[in-house]
Amino acid sequence: RLRLRPRVLRGVAQRSTEVTLLGDQKLSLPVGISPTAAHRDVHTDGEVATAKAARDAKSVMVLSTFSHTSIEDVRSAVPDGLLWFQTSIHKDRDFTRRLVERAERAGYRALILTVDMAVPGQWKAKRTTAAASLIDRPKMANLLGTSMDHYADRRGGGYAGMIDASVTWDDVTWLKGISKLPVVAKGILTAEDAEEAIKHGVSAILVSNHGGRQLDGLPSTVCPTAAARFVLPLDPTSARDGCSPNSTTPIS
């Protein structure tokens, strides 16, 4: 069981949930919307509605590469919203470069680099439920008119055909070299990888297990894993794993 670890007598007459990230980007609270694909599968307004909700909450939305609404159209619909863009380092490096350039031109404020998907997970339930409605589903807007156009309707092999299993930390250095935007590594779960990320110049890390559907057997991201111990000031006197039965590890 996870427990809060309250501090007292800290002078809290003036209280605020506002946080500043990546230098000067302010959020009204430390909660944002992580990248998820294909929002129009569940609502006709798709990613535009999500971006408007984030803007109204004075928070941030991360737009997925595999969105139903393009980088430019989301920005056009929400010109005053804080937007970040998610990408992977794809087999086609020129395609990756062009995506990054589009996001930067459109005023996105950070690149969220997915690092835990060198090989797509076995999403059997997803494939089964999606197959029947594939014909009627919208296309992936950011792929249309690009070298990846044949993947836009999910018939050309989908993510598996685009993802590069040979990517290393050296490619993160390459990504940083083609953009002025800060890079956030999404998918870190160990202290060793957190250290590698810092060594290669990322601006922040996002502790993530890819929604629990990428690699079987991973802990929840709220658990004090090695990465969490690296990032969060956990109580050093605690010896228990916060995800084990009857655990009392506090989260600071």
Side-chain angles (χ1 to χ4, degrees), residues 120-196:
Q122 294 295 315
W123 304 342
K124 295 180 181 179
K126 177 181 176 181
R127 288 200 299 269
T128 300
T129 56
S133 60
L134 188 61
I135 294 176
D136 298 324
R137 298 174 79 182
K139 294 184 178 182
M140 301 300 186
N142 291 320
L143 277 56
L144 294 173
T146 73
S147 60
M148 298 293 108
D149 190 285
H150 54 296
Y151 292 120
D153 64 359
R154 313 184 204 190
R155 297 171 188 275
Y159 307 141
M162 297 174 60
I163 301 301
D164 187 353
S166 71
V167 170
T168 70
W169 286 108
D170 289 339
D171 294 295
V172 176
T173 302
W174 170 81
L175 181 66
K176 284 178 54 61
I178 65 172
S179 175
K180 296 179 181 179
L181 295 177
V183 173
V184 178
K186 174 183 175 291
I188 301 294
L189 281 174
T190 67
E192 293 86 351
D193 281 340
E195 290 170 343
E196 285 286 352

Side-chain angles (χ1 to χ4, degrees), residues 6 24 48 59 61 116 165:
D24 62 351
V48 167
S59 186
M61 174 199 174
D116 61 349

Side-chain angles (χ1 to χ4, degrees), residues 156-246:
Y159 307 141
M162 297 174 60
I163 301 301
D164 187 353
S166 71
V167 170
T168 70
W169 286 108
D170 289 339
D171 294 295
V172 176
T173 302
W174 170 81
L175 181 66
K176 284 178 54 61
I178 65 172
S179 175
K180 296 179 181 179
L181 295 177
V183 173
V184 178
K186 174 183 175 291
I188 301 294
L189 281 174
T190 67
E192 293 86 351
D193 281 340
E195 290 170 343
E196 285 286 352
I198 292 171
K199 185 190 305 181
H200 287 83
V202 304
S203 298
I205 68 170
L206 202 164
V207 178
S208 169
N209 65 7
H210 213 103
R213 64 188 187 132
Q214 174 57 19
L215 182 61
D216 194 20
L218 294 179
S220 166
T221 52
V222 75
C223 297
T225 60
R229 290 187 184 279
F230 183 83
V231 177
L232 301 176
L234 298 181
D235 184 349
T237 64
S238 174
R240 291 189 178 181
D241 177 357
C243 297
S244 300
N246 303 316

Side-chain angles (χ1 to χ4, degrees), residues 10-64:
R10 306 292 289 180
V12 293
Q14 302 297 322
R15 296 178 295 278
S16 173
T17 59
E18 185 178 278
V19 294
T20 301
L21 301 177
L22 301 177
D24 62 351
Q25 302 184 41
K26 291 186 178 181
L27 281 66
S28 64
L29 71 169
V31 177
I33 300 176
S34 286
T36 51
H39 289 200
R40 287 178 61 197
D41 279 354
V42 294
H43 194 282
T44 54
D45 291 341
E47 289 81 7
V48 167
T50 310
K52 287 180 177 179
R55 177 202 59 194
D56 293 347
K58 297 181 180 179
S59 186
V60 61
M61 174 199 174
V62 185
L63 184 72
S64 169

